[in-house]
Amino acid sequence: MSFPIAWDLKDMPRTIHVYCDESCHLENDGQRAMVLGALWCPSNHRKQLVRKIRELKRLHGLSDAFEIKWVKVSPAKLDFYKSLIDLFFDERVLGFRALVVPDKGKLNHLRFNQSHDEFYYKQWYTLLNRLVEPRYRYRIFLDIKDTHGVSKVRRLHDFLCNGNYDFNQDIIESLELVHSSDLALLQLADLLIGALAYLHRGLLGSGAKSLLVNQLKDKLGANLEKSTLPQEKKFNLFIWRAQD
């Protein structure tokens, strides 16, 4: 199923905000699948979307400070989380792209002369580079994981700029580390990423989480285990496969 997204309207602002998060990215965390994801919207719609998320919190008896996280999904808050997924699909200005590595056990970093950390940032490049269109400017926000990532994020920014001939950073304006607790749209990205990770890790333990995964499948009319067409903008999914 294809959903419209307001990318080509004449009144589109030049600046796009991109909110990035991940699930199970560590090499030896005992989890099979790794998921990276990016939620984006035009900058002039950001405040309106945040207000709508705040209104949903109040409607479901939650405080404005409540942090949206996949790990917090429970039967008691199921209706709230379902309303967030509805919000994503109802808002034409929201888009999402995810990259899934289904089985980290098949990675052979020695063969490609790389560390797992280098592989991790290469996958961020693969995910984000697909989003870039030269007619727009981008501000990219990446959830901070540790204090050692600043130099690597700077290199990722440089690679993205160079890959798009953006030597003056006129297109990819910034790529900065932020705390997800401060940004509601980054938290919404966490929810979508969490659903994909739950599915690709083959988990079944939570009825509430399984219902959200099924809601996502129903909305998309897809099983979420195959890549979408590369040009899909609303919910773009790339399943990365290790070479034999």
Side-chain angles (χ1 to χ4, degrees):
M1 183 180 296
S2 180
F3 293 84
I5 186 167
W7 277 82
D8 298 314
L9 300 179
K10 293 181 179 179
D11 61 347
M12 268 288 288
R14 278 204 68 200
T15 303
I16 306 297
H17 285 191
V18 184
Y19 302 92
C20 304
D21 204 352
E22 51 72 26
S23 178
C24 309
H25 72 292
L26 298 176
E27 183 174 15
N28 299 307
D29 57 7
Q31 303 298 339
R32 179 178 178 180
M34 176 175 90
V35 182
L36 311 180
L39 180 84
W40 68 90
C41 71
S43 60
N44 65 337
H45 286 266
R46 175 182 57 84
K47 290 183 179 179
Q48 177 187 2
L49 291 166
V50 171
R51 281 197 299 269
K52 289 186 176 183
I53 291 174
R54 189 180 300 122
E55 289 168 2
L56 288 176
K57 289 181 181 179
R58 293 171 181 172
L59 180 64
H60 292 276
L62 300 171
S63 71
D64 291 353
F66 178 82
E67 186 175 359
I68 299 160
K69 293 181 72 70
W70 176 256
V71 296
K72 290 186 176 181
V73 172
S74 65
K77 296 181 178 66
L78 178 60
D79 287 343
F80 168 65
Y81 283 106
K82 289 175 68 176
S83 72
L84 288 172
I85 291 178
D86 286 338
L87 174 74
F88 169 75
F89 285 102
D90 291 342
E91 292 293 334
R92 294 179 63 239
V93 294
L94 280 173
F96 178 75
R97 173 168 163 79
L99 183 152
V100 178
V101 179
D103 189 353
K104 290 183 291 184
K106 293 184 178 181
L107 299 177
N108 186 343
H109 296 316
L110 184 62
R111 176 184 175 187
F112 295 97
N113 192 30
Q114 66 186 4
S115 67
H116 183 77
D117 205 42
E118 289 170 330
F119 169 80
Y120 170 70
Y121 282 100
K122 285 178 181 179
Q123 299 315 304
W124 270 122
Y125 177 88
T126 299
L127 185 148
L128 292 169
N129 194 50
R130 172 67 67 177
L131 300 181
V132 175
E133 296 185 32
R135 54 184 167 157
Y136 301 123
R137 291 175 66 88
Y138 294 86
R139 291 190 64 195
I140 303 173
F141 305 94
L142 184 65
D143 189 27
I144 189 168
K145 300 303 176 189
D146 56 60
T147 57
H148 304 293
V150 176
S151 62
K152 294 169 185 174
V153 166
R154 190 179 299 119
R155 287 186 64 200
L156 175 59
H157 187 200
D158 290 341
F159 280 128
L160 282 169
C161 289
N162 292 339
N164 289 278
Y165 302 97
D166 181 27
F167 305 117
N168 295 320
Q169 298 183 5
D170 294 325
I171 300 171
I172 306 165
E173 179 182 326
S174 64
L175 198 164
E176 55 193 283
L177 293 171
V178 295
H179 291 282
S180 62
S181 57
D182 299 328
L183 298 172
L185 291 173
L186 185 49
Q187 295 169 31
L188 180 56
D190 175 271
L191 180 65
L192 297 174
I193 293 162
L196 286 171
Y198 190 83
L199 172 69
H200 283 272
R201 287 162 58 194
L203 301 177
L204 299 169
S206 168
K209 290 180 177 178
S210 296
L211 286 171
L212 288 179
V213 170
N214 289 335
Q215 180 190 5
L216 198 54
K217 288 180 181 179
D218 291 342
K219 288 282 188 180
L220 292 166
N223 63 14
L224 302 178
E225 295 176 302
K226 295 181 180 179
S227 298
T228 62
L229 292 174
Q231 63 269 29
E232 174 62 41
K233 286 183 175 177
K234 183 61 179 180
F235 194 100
N236 185 292
L237 182 60
F238 176 53
I239 310 298
W240 186 93
R241 303 288 182 185
Q243 297 180 13
D244 296 328

